[in-house]
């Protein structure tokens, strides 16, 4: 058996994860737009361990990062939306995944720089959509 599956373990983003913030000026008002990561991790065992033979098992840790946009107005209102798409980071660790729940958090912490880069790229690509969301909110508020 070359592939053993382990139940997926989902985690929320630790509070120390980076947040990318930018100010947007639109229609005479300044809005703070935060891009926050949402990380889901899963672990699975690949390989096998057959009695007295050397084990070929390794733990594959996947961290799927999606981005939430939070637009904050000057009066305490917030407009939240999950952005389409995500990025997956992967790391292989030797041995089984059993009892290694803390290793998933370590992998996410080790990828903090790559996650911050992903947030910055998402923010740059999202500017037009953020302006459209602000216009839409103004339209609904006026009606």
């Amino acid at each position: 058996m070359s592939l053993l599956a382990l139940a997926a373990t989902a985690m929320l983003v630790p509070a120390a994860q980076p947040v990318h913030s930018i100010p947007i000026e639109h229609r005479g008002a300044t809005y703070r737009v935060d891009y926050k990561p949402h990380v889901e991790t899963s672990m699975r065992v690949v390989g096998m361990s057959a009695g007295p033979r050397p084990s070929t098992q390794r733990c594959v840790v996947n961290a799927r990062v999606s981005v939430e946009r939070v637009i904050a107005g000057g009066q305490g209102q917030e407009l939240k939306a999950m952005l389409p798409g995500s990025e997956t980071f992967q790391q292989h660790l030797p041995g089984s995944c059993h009892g290694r729940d803390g290793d998933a958090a370590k992998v996410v912490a080790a990828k903090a720089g790559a996650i911050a880069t992903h947030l910055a790229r998402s923010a740059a690509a999202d500017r037009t959509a953020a302006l459209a969301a602000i216009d839409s909110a103004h339209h609904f508020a006026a009606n």
Side-chain angles (χ1 to χ4, degrees):
M1 177 184 264
S2 64
L3 175 70
L4 296 175
L6 182 70
T9 304
M11 295 177 55
L12 294 178
V13 178
Q17 283 296 315
V19 174
H20 185 79
S21 297
I22 59 171
I24 291 183
E25 293 195 23
H26 186 60
R27 293 186 176 193
T30 301
Y31 300 90
R32 188 186 78 241
V33 183
D34 295 332
Y35 293 89
K36 300 177 180 182
H38 284 266
V39 181
E40 296 175 10
T41 60
S42 64
M43 302 170 81
R44 65 185 172 107
V45 176
V46 177
M48 61 183 242
S49 178
R53 296 184 194 156
S55 173
T56 62
Q57 286 185 336
R58 61 186 192 275
C59 181
V60 179
V61 180
N62 290 306
R64 184 175 155 262
V65 180
S66 47
V67 180
E68 177 186 33
R69 174 185 64 216
V70 180
I71 301 172
Q75 299 164 346
Q77 301 98 348
E78 288 186 341
L79 183 61
K80 297 181 180 184
M82 292 300 289
L83 300 183
S86 64
E87 189 165 334
T88 301
F89 302 97
Q90 187 177 76
Q91 185 166 354
H92 294 255
L93 304 172
S96 174
C97 294
H98 296 288
R100 297 181 90 164
D101 293 336
D103 286 347
K106 289 177 187 176
V107 168
V108 171
K111 300 293 185 182
I115 291 171
T117 300
H118 175 61
L119 292 176
R121 279 194 319 260
S122 297
D126 184 59
R127 181 169 174 79
T128 304
L131 291 172
I134 293 170
D135 281 339
S136 179
H138 278 289
H139 175 73
F140 284 121
N143 290 328

